[in-house]
Amino acid sequence: MRRTLFCLLLSLILLLSACAPAAVQTEPPTEAPTEAPTEAPTEVPTEAPTEAPTEELTEALPEETEAPTEPPERPEHTVRIQVSDNCDYTVTNAEGQTTRQGDDGRPKGDLVVYSIDLYGFDTGTLPMEVWEVAASDSFTLETTTSPCAFCAEIGDAFYAVTECTGVTRIEFRDGYIKLTGSEMTYKMLTTFDAGEDYYFEITGTGTTEIEFPMGEIASTGALSETYQVEKFSIYSV
């Protein structure tokens, strides 16, 4: 009997279990991540790429160097004058134009020099600068250099003072030579009125001033004692 009751009770429990509704799942579903996935930046960069400078250079370019001024056209009549290369000088012509020794050793002034040559180096004599200038009735050299030499063409004659010491001023005019200085020694050469194939040579000493009127000397063939001449000669070229 007990066994029968137990079976009935068990059958009733199973029936009730089968008829009962299915249990609702109580765990909440897994939530999706709340953070949005990292997105690529959408903003355009605010800094523009570096551009080449557009402004023009403000610093002015250096001006082009001007070409050296060409000397004036040579006049119809030019002559040569010569100055010893080691000499400081100021040369003046009859027109009052002058040239002097520049800082670079070359002539500077309004007495235009059309060409320059050199000679006398390694010859045992004073090296000379030879200038081509416009013809003039006189040329005068002033200097403080000793020894010095100066030569010039005037008209058809050639005048030269060489191997001189103590001379501070040499003046050449047509048929005339004048020296100024102190305790001077000198040698002069000239072709004035000596003929095409001859020249005068005069050597001597002086104190402060000596003048040589070559016309008088050429006509008499002798020099006054006031010239303090040691030697007067005529040579053939």
Side-chain angles (χ1 to χ4, degrees):
M1 185 69 179
R2 291 182 179 177
R3 185 176 178 86
T4 301
L5 290 174
F6 176 76
C7 291
L8 289 174
L9 179 61
L10 180 59
S11 298
L12 181 62
I13 292 172
L14 293 175
L15 180 63
L16 291 175
S17 298
C19 294
V24 179
Q25 188 176 358
T26 59
E27 292 184 3
T30 303
E31 295 181 1
T34 58
E35 294 183 6
T38 303
E39 297 181 358
T42 58
E43 295 184 1
V44 178
T46 57
E47 293 186 7
T50 304
E51 297 180 358
T54 57
E55 295 185 1
E56 296 182 358
L57 296 175
T58 56
E59 184 176 353
L61 296 175
E63 297 182 359
E64 293 184 2
T65 304
E66 295 183 359
T69 303
E70 292 292 332
E73 184 178 353
R74 286 174 171 79
E76 182 179 357
H77 299 292
T78 61
V79 295
R80 294 176 304 162
I81 61 177
Q82 304 174 32
V83 179
S84 51
D85 184 61
N86 68 332
C87 181
D88 73 283
Y89 56 78
T90 299
V91 175
T92 306
N93 65 6
E95 290 70 34
Q97 297 170 325
T98 63
T99 186
R100 59 177 179 77
Q101 184 184 44
D103 295 336
D104 58 357
R106 294 305 189 190
K108 306 289 185 183
D110 59 355
L111 174 54
V112 179
V113 177
Y114 298 98
S115 66
I116 300 177
D117 292 316
L118 299 173
Y119 83 91
F121 289 86
D122 300 323
T123 62
T125 61
L126 291 176
M128 302 290 288
E129 293 186 7
V130 185
W131 307 337
E132 181 187 6
V133 299
S136 182
D137 292 334
S138 71
F139 292 100
T140 301
L141 170 80
E142 294 179 278
T143 182
T144 59
T145 303
S146 185
C148 68
F150 182 48
C151 313
E153 294 176 346
I154 299 176
D156 296 328
F158 177 76
Y159 301 85
V161 175
T162 64
E163 303 177 21
C164 63
T165 61
V167 177
T168 58
R169 191 173 189 271
I170 302 172
E171 180 183 350
F172 297 139
R173 298 201 305 268
D174 189 19
Y176 177 86
I177 301 175
K178 181 178 179 179
L179 306 181
T180 303
S182 176
E183 299 181 0
M184 296 181 293
T185 64
Y186 58 86
K187 176 187 286 187
M188 297 188 305
L189 305 172
T190 180
T191 61
F192 175 81
D193 204 24
E196 293 182 0
D197 299 326
Y198 294 89
Y199 66 92
F200 295 115
E201 178 183 291
I202 304 171
T203 59
T205 60
T207 54
T208 59
E209 188 176 278
I210 305 174
E211 296 181 76
F212 296 92
M214 299 310 300
E216 177 184 332
I217 295 170
S219 63
T220 62
L223 294 173
S224 168
E225 292 182 358
T226 58
Y227 298 137
Q228 297 179 266
V229 170
E230 296 178 353
K231 182 180 179 181
F232 172 58
S233 305
I234 301 177
Y235 294 95
S236 61
V237 177

